[in-house]
Amino acid sequence: MEELNQTPAFVEGSKGEFAESIPVEDVLNEAGLSTKTPRRDFLKALGFGLGAVSLAACNRTPVHKAVPYLIKPEEVTPGIPNYYTSTFNGQSILVKTREGRPINVEPNPNAIGLNQGLDSTTAASVLDLYDESKLKQAQLKGQDVEWSKLDGEVVKALTAAASSGKQITIVSNTVNSPSTLAAIAAFATKFPTANHVQYDAVSYSGIIEANKASFGKAVVPSYNFDKANVIVSVAADFLGTWLAGEEHTQQYAKNRDYKSLKNGKMSRHVQFESGLSMTGTNADARIAIKPSEEGATLIALYNAITGQTLAGATANKKAQKV
């Protein structure tokens, strides 16, 4: 619109958009040529000019030098990857490395007792190791400093806060690692005013509190979908984002393949949910319900299993039929 209306600001800013044309004779004179230069000499000059520009551009490219090992580690052979087992967010993983650099993450096929799968977050975690936006050095007041100096400043500030009785708070996601919990406990012992706050973007505290109230154990249960004959899920996307979707998917598939169909033991899956999920697309019967109907659906399911008549059961005819 500024260009169409030719506003004063646009006209002023566009004055230098196109440089004034330079006569051809001046260009040729700068190159040591004239309008009567033979074609062969002209092509020589043109080729030299293009080559010089190309070489000048190449000089701006950073040079990465390959420095050989002075003492090569016995387990490292250039060009041949090494694999190491590790864990990430409770998942047993296999890390592929080349010359000490992790380049890929895979599920550990020999994992026992751990989450035997890989979600998208874990698969993409290797990219964090090569994030150019991350700081490469410790900083203090915007200036690069040694880690020892930064540690000293942090300890000094913590000591002063504890001495004056000020509250020190550690904020983290849910911590399950015994070694990490021990380190936090040691920190709290040294600084008595410290407390630990755990916060997760997706919290399962409701499941933990419900199990504590029902069974006396504040735990997140594990499931064996491969042993279930009938699976009923109410708004739980257990094949996608709910708890350990990758582990549940492996179990779920074991009892829903051609072998289980041949043996007549394929599980039947009924999904109650408001929004279409990955789990709902795989269900044998998917019943669309409102979020406000979830509690009533569970009561109706409880009444059907136990034979009781608790009040508040759903009036959804499709749900009652299932």
Side-chain angles (χ1 to χ4, degrees):
M1 293 300 295
E2 290 81 0
E3 182 179 6
L4 176 64
N5 298 324
Q6 289 293 299
T7 61
F10 176 81
V11 173
E12 183 66 25
S14 62
K15 283 183 177 179
E17 183 176 2
F18 300 104
E20 295 181 1
S21 60
I22 302 174
V24 176
E25 291 80 3
D26 293 347
V27 176
L28 294 174
N29 290 334
E30 288 291 331
L33 304 173
S34 69
T35 54
K36 297 182 180 180
T37 299
R39 182 175 63 86
R40 183 170 296 183
D41 293 341
F42 175 78
L43 292 177
K44 285 181 181 180
L46 180 62
F48 174 78
L50 290 176
V53 171
S54 300
L55 290 174
C58 292
N59 289 335
R60 299 190 186 98
T61 304
V63 178
H64 299 282
K65 296 182 179 179
V67 181
Y69 287 109
L70 293 177
I71 302 176
K72 188 181 78 66
E74 183 178 354
E75 69 277 5
V76 175
T77 301
I80 299 178
N82 290 348
Y83 292 85
Y84 299 91
T85 57
S86 185
T87 60
F88 187 91
N89 288 344
Q91 301 169 30
S92 182
I93 61 176
L94 203 60
V95 184
K96 180 181 180 180
T97 66
R98 283 189 180 273
E99 289 75 56
R101 294 178 179 273
I103 61 173
N104 190 35
V105 177
E106 303 171 359
N108 184 2
N110 299 320
I112 299 176
L114 289 174
N115 194 338
Q116 302 177 27
L118 205 69
D119 59 16
S120 58
T121 303
T122 304
S125 63
V126 70
L127 299 177
D128 282 342
L129 302 176
Y130 306 99
D131 187 357
E132 290 292 332
S133 63
K134 287 186 175 181
L135 296 176
K136 297 177 174 60
Q137 182 68 31
Q139 287 196 345
L140 184 63
K141 296 180 180 180
Q143 302 295 326
D144 291 345
V145 296
E146 296 295 330
W147 280 102
S148 57
K149 183 176 180 179
L150 178 63
D151 291 342
E153 291 292 331
V154 172
V155 172
K156 181 180 177 181
L158 290 173
T159 303
S163 301
S164 59
K166 293 183 179 180
Q167 184 70 54
I168 300 172
T169 303
I170 302 173
V171 181
S172 71
N173 56 359
T174 298
V175 178
N176 298 316
S177 169
S179 57
T180 303
L181 291 173
I184 294 174
F187 182 90
T189 301
K190 186 173 182 179
F191 302 103
T193 60
N195 69 323
H196 182 203
V197 176
Q198 302 182 61
Y199 176 82
D200 296 293
V202 180
S203 176
Y204 297 105
S205 59
I207 299 176
I208 296 174
E209 293 175 4
N211 280 290
K212 184 177 181 180
S214 301
F215 310 109
K217 294 183 178 181
V219 296
V220 175
S222 58
Y223 297 87
N224 295 316
F225 289 94
D226 54 331
K227 298 179 181 179
N229 294 324
V230 178
I231 301 171
V232 179
S233 172
V234 180
D237 185 17
F238 61 84
L239 297 180
T241 59
W242 189 74
L243 291 180
E246 60 285 349
E247 181 179 5
H248 297 161
T249 299
Q250 293 183 13
Q251 297 175 354
Y252 183 81
K254 288 181 180 179
N255 205 21
R256 293 178 66 84
D257 55 11
Y258 74 96
K259 292 182 180 179
S260 57
L261 178 62
K262 184 178 179 181
N263 298 330
K265 296 182 179 180
M266 178 179 286
S267 61
R268 182 169 183 261
H269 174 199
V270 180
Q271 182 79 9
F272 295 91
E273 60 184 8
S274 55
L276 183 62
S277 67
M278 183 184 298
T279 306
T281 60
N282 286 275
D284 298 308
R286 178 184 177 273
I287 310 301
I289 61 174
K290 299 177 182 178
S292 58
E293 295 178 326
E294 292 176 3
T297 300
L298 289 170
I299 294 175
L301 179 62
Y302 178 81
N303 290 342
I305 294 174
T306 63
Q308 298 189 27
T309 56
L310 292 179
T314 182
N316 190 314
K317 295 182 178 180
K318 291 184 179 180
Q320 291 176 343
K321 183 178 180 181
V322 174

